[in-house]
Amino acid sequence: MTAFKRLSDLSADAAYDLIVIGSGVAGMSAALFAAIAGRTALVVERSDFVGGTSAFSAGSVWAPNSRHAGAEPDSIDNTRRFLDAVVGNRSSTALRDAFLDSIPAAIDVLEDNSEVKFRAYAMHPDYEQEAEGATLRGRTLEPLPFDARGLGEDFARLRAPIPEFTILGGMMVDRTDIGHLLKLTRSFASFSHATRILGRYALDRMARRRGSRLVMGNALVGRLLSALRSRKIDILLNTSLIDLVARDREVSGVVLAAGKTKLTLKANLGVVLASGGFSGHATKRSDMLPPVEIHSPMAPGLNGTAQDAALAMGAIMDTTDDNVFWAPVSTRERRDGSRAVFPHFVLDRSKPGTVCVDQGGRRFVNESVSYHSFGRAMLDRNKTVPCVPCFIITDFVGLRRYGLGMVRLGTRNLTEFIADGYLTEAPTIPALATALTVPAEQLSQTIARFNGFAATGIDEDFGRGTTPYHRVNGDPTQTPNPTLGTIATPPFYAVRLYPGDIGATAGLRVSRDAQVLRADDSAIPGLYACGNDATSIMGGQYPGPGITLGPAIAFAFRAVQHATSDAVPLQD
């Protein structure tokens, strides 16, 4: 049994209740909600694989007040206060209220009617801990690990994770796994867990190219694919949206193309745009992003043509402060000639014994802030002091204990990383400064001052380690501050960091039922948008983990509710 078809397999009079453009979490969720509601759906994906950038992600879903919230008190009002404090007037409060009202029900529908299952991580703080209403746990969900062997031949059509986020050539690990691997020889429970997943991976590699135990975003996409398969939802790969079909100004279908085949299909209830946003658009990218060297770790195929089709029908794009979410990234050419873009989310910046400096050799940011805040700080600094790229620096102890970007912890042979320039090594801090073309005296002063902070546990310049979010990404065995450690043991190392766009925040203006709107805020009947095709309800801010996938699921849910005439009214 396979969910995949070719466009040429469909007849000229084929019709579906909903046609969904895009196969990330937003698109697959919309199709699954339609199937759960007893409707037919078609998923259209222009690339070779399903999953989009969601398959590369951590798979975190910001879902306040869900069934997994736990015993600690939270409420819609409390979450609303938090969003008001962080987002303010940068986005529509009506859209934020629609999200808060619908996300618990959306999670319930998925878990009660499909293979999609979540859990709340024991400690997963909101990023902006200083804001009123912030929580330490319960709002962010992660998918349960998924056994992809049940997908059969369709497993090969699921987009693989970024290779540099796997170990042993194709084994996925999440934070729980990493914790057990680090304690492999010190805990029987960790030894047992590590032995189990390593043994499973060894068996997998006898039959397939990568491990079938999926975690994070791959697990969520895998679960969604399994659910679509079980409900016999059709999926088209390598198929592009050419145009939207309208009748009396109402969207009633799509024109699709795959190779030499071109077909017009009818959508009885509407079309949902969930193609991933404008990030790969030929002109919007240059028009909407700063004129500096930016690298994207997003999946290929996000060319914005679905948004263009909507704009041609009178839709309007809303912009935000940055138009994208940011993360610091490092890049390296792979052996096959492709370019690896590695996001520095939490594995190194918050660890003891690392520091980040601009090209003048000075710190410019609290290294433990969220990746979006770090990327924004890099760009802001670059307006006055060259900071693209900036440098993340550590010493022998830090590199061996925590790794640095694509150099994993414990790596002993650094020859290739140094030879290709990804990793810069030097015997002293002044020598490292010379290799990086950074003022040696200033970098030496920066490191000396930072080492003083590590000794006292107090970062007097930027407050690193002062919030639970900072500390949870540090090393709990490091005292007195889990994020601060000295940089003193030669040799010394550095990796260049660039701003990376990890998701669009500018997108089509939508109603609280995900209807695509015109400039006068009237809806285009039959046309919906969710995920990165719609403007972010966070207004370009990044309050916590999973704030892209949470709204993606919620507004996919609301789009299907509205299309099937079951929309839930909200109180203004």
Side-chain angles (χ1 to χ4, degrees), residues 388-546:
V388 176
C390 67
F391 308 101
I392 182 169
I393 294 172
T394 192
D395 64 0
F396 174 82
V397 173
L399 186 72
R400 182 63 58 86
R401 187 174 294 167
Y402 307 112
L404 199 66
M406 297 185 221
V407 184
R408 298 189 182 95
L409 60 92
T411 300
R412 296 183 181 275
N413 187 353
L414 304 175
T415 304
E416 289 187 8
F417 295 100
I418 295 171
D420 65 14
Y422 177 77
L423 188 69
T424 301
E425 180 187 61
T428 66
I429 292 297
L432 184 67
T434 299
L436 299 175
T437 319
V438 166
E441 184 177 352
Q442 180 57 59
L443 183 59
S444 296
Q445 291 175 5
T446 296
I447 299 299
R449 182 170 175 80
F450 183 81
N451 285 344
F453 297 158
T456 63
I458 300 173
D459 177 3
E460 297 176 13
D461 291 341
F462 292 97
R464 179 166 161 177
T466 55
T467 76
Y469 172 67
H470 300 166
R471 293 191 293 272
V472 77
N473 293 320
D475 180 348
T477 67
Q478 177 76 18
T479 59
N481 186 326
T483 73
L484 295 178
T486 57
I487 302 172
T489 305
F492 301 93
Y493 301 94
V495 167
R496 289 165 175 81
L497 298 181
Y498 298 85
D501 58 304
I502 58 171
T505 61
L508 297 170
R509 184 179 297 176
V510 294
S511 74
R512 61 188 190 180
D513 290 316
Q515 295 173 284
V516 176
L517 301 179
R518 303 182 181 93
D520 63 0
D521 284 342
S522 63
I524 300 175
L527 187 61
Y528 302 87
C530 55
N532 288 346
D533 274 350
T535 186
S536 169
I537 67 167
M538 302 301 172
Q541 306 303 298
Y542 215 114

Side-chain angles (χ1 to χ4, degrees), residues 188-476:
F188 178 77
S190 292
F191 176 81
S192 177
H193 180 95
T195 301
R196 185 168 62 254
I197 62 174
L198 289 167
R200 162 73 179 275
Y201 177 64
L203 291 174
D204 275 340
R205 288 306 300 268
M206 295 179 184
R208 51 186 63 85
R209 296 179 62 182
R210 67 182 181 106
S212 63
R213 176 183 177 269
L214 307 185
V215 295
M216 302 189 296
N218 238 232
L220 180 52
V221 171
R223 287 181 174 278
L224 285 164
L225 177 57
S226 179
L228 295 181
R229 277 167 44 96
S230 66
R231 291 181 177 272
K232 297 181 171 56
I233 295 297
D234 293 339
I235 302 174
L236 300 176
L237 296 179
N238 299 304
T239 303
S240 299
L241 172 69
I242 301 301
D243 205 356
L244 294 168
V245 176
R247 184 184 60 215
D248 297 328
R249 302 188 74 198
E250 178 177 353
V251 173
S252 58
V254 296
V255 181
L256 303 177
K260 296 181 179 179
T261 302
K262 187 175 181 179
L263 197 62
T264 299
L265 298 178
K266 183 180 180 183
N268 297 324
L269 300 179
V271 174
V272 180
L273 305 181
S275 67
F278 75 87
S279 296
H281 194 278
T283 58
K284 286 191 178 72
R285 184 173 181 83
S286 58
D287 291 344
M288 300 175 73
L289 299 185
V292 297
E293 187 173 354
I294 298 170
H295 297 273
S296 178
M298 299 179 70
L302 310 182
N303 62 4
T305 54
Q307 291 176 325
D308 285 345
L311 294 173
M313 296 199 64
I316 186 170
M317 287 272 290
D318 281 335
T319 59
T320 65
D321 288 348
D322 296 286
N323 294 323
V324 295
F325 291 122
W326 298 112
V329 301
S330 56
T331 72
R332 185 178 187 230
E333 186 173 313
R334 299 186 179 109
R335 292 181 180 178
D336 64 3
S338 63
R339 175 64 56 176
V341 180
F342 184 91
H344 290 243
F345 289 136
V346 299
L347 294 179
D348 51 17
R349 291 184 295 109
S350 291
K351 294 300 188 292
T354 60
V355 69
C356 294
V357 300
D358 60 24
Q359 293 178 28
R362 292 179 170 88
R363 291 177 74 200
F364 61 94
V365 68
N366 177 339
E367 293 88 353
S368 294
V369 296
S370 74
Y371 34 91
H372 178 64
S373 295
F374 188 103
R376 179 177 282 172
M378 188 193 312
L379 290 164
D380 287 344
R381 181 70 159 187
N382 194 63
K383 295 174 183 177
T384 56
V385 177
C387 198
V388 176
C390 67
F391 308 101
I392 182 169
I393 294 172
T394 192
D395 64 0
F396 174 82
V397 173
L399 186 72
R400 182 63 58 86
R401 187 174 294 167
Y402 307 112
L404 199 66
M406 297 185 221
V407 184
R408 298 189 182 95
L409 60 92
T411 300
R412 296 183 181 275
N413 187 353
L414 304 175
T415 304
E416 289 187 8
F417 295 100
I418 295 171
D420 65 14
Y422 177 77
L423 188 69
T424 301
E425 180 187 61
T428 66
I429 292 297
L432 184 67
T434 299
L436 299 175
T437 319
V438 166
E441 184 177 352
Q442 180 57 59
L443 183 59
S444 296
Q445 291 175 5
T446 296
I447 299 299
R449 182 170 175 80
F450 183 81
N451 285 344
F453 297 158
T456 63
I458 300 173
D459 177 3
E460 297 176 13
D461 291 341
F462 292 97
R464 179 166 161 177
T466 55
T467 76
Y469 172 67
H470 300 166
R471 293 191 293 272
V472 77
N473 293 320
D475 180 348

Side-chain angles (χ1 to χ4, degrees), residues 157-178:
R157 296 182 172 99
L158 177 65
R159 186 174 296 283
I162 295 173
E164 290 72 25
F165 276 140
T166 65
I167 64 173
L168 302 177
M171 176 180 168
M172 294 197 73
V173 290
D174 59 16
R175 289 184 301 172
T176 300
D177 300 328
I178 292 171

